[in-house]
Amino acid sequence: QVQLVESGGGLVQAGGSLRLSCAASGRTLSNYAVGWFRQAPGKEREFVATINWSGDSTYYADFVKGRFTISRDNAKNTVYLQMNSLKPEDTAVYYCNTGSYSDPGRYDYWGQGTQVTVSS
């Protein structure tokens, strides 16, 4: 199991930007596809974006297309989620996980995540 730690969350005004990081420890992340997910209060966890192991293939949920960008730096063992034009409805705890599944139910383990709060 690759241990992942999410960071970079915070409080931002609507229209602002944040960059989240997903860092791995213990094992190299470069062998894995990585996905970002989020869970808003009272809602189910949902898929946000995924990137393949080499970084040349990405896939996004419709509601973030054109606003969020997933990328990775395998030399730093880190995957990023650049979030622009943030909206209050983007408020959630954001999680990363290794794998290419968009269904959060396919994953058994989740880290602590990082809180993103967007004020209107």
Side-chain angles (χ1 to χ4, degrees):
Q1 180 69 44
V2 178
Q3 300 293 325
L4 300 176
V5 177
E6 303 92 344
S7 63
L11 173 63
V12 64
Q13 289 188 334
S17 299
L18 284 173
R19 189 177 80 158
L20 306 183
S21 297
C22 171
S25 63
R27 296 178 67 178
T28 178
L29 199 57
S30 62
N31 297 332
Y32 300 89
V34 174
W36 280 99
F37 301 80
R38 69 186 188 184
Q39 187 167 21
K43 295 188 176 181
E44 297 287 320
R45 187 170 287 152
E46 62 183 354
F47 167 78
V48 175
T50 188
I51 189 167
N52 72 337
W53 69 272
S54 63
D56 60 3
S57 179
T58 58
Y59 180 71
Y60 297 91
D62 286 344
F63 55 79
V64 302
K65 284 181 180 177
R67 299 191 299 126
F68 292 8
T69 302
I70 189 170
S71 63
R72 67 190 303 155
D73 185 340
N74 286 338
K76 295 183 178 180
N77 225 22
T78 302
V79 173
Y80 303 98
L81 185 69
Q82 177 67 43
M83 306 187 297
N84 298 328
S85 302
L86 283 162
K87 304 175 182 180
E89 51 263 45
D90 293 319
T91 295
V93 179
Y94 284 71
Y95 304 86
C96 60
N97 218 324
T98 53
S100 58
Y101 301 116
S102 59
D103 178 3
R106 299 294 296 268
Y107 299 90
D108 295 325
Y109 172 81
W110 294 94
Q112 293 192 339
T114 185
Q115 175 72 48
V116 171
T117 303
V118 184
S119 63
S120 57

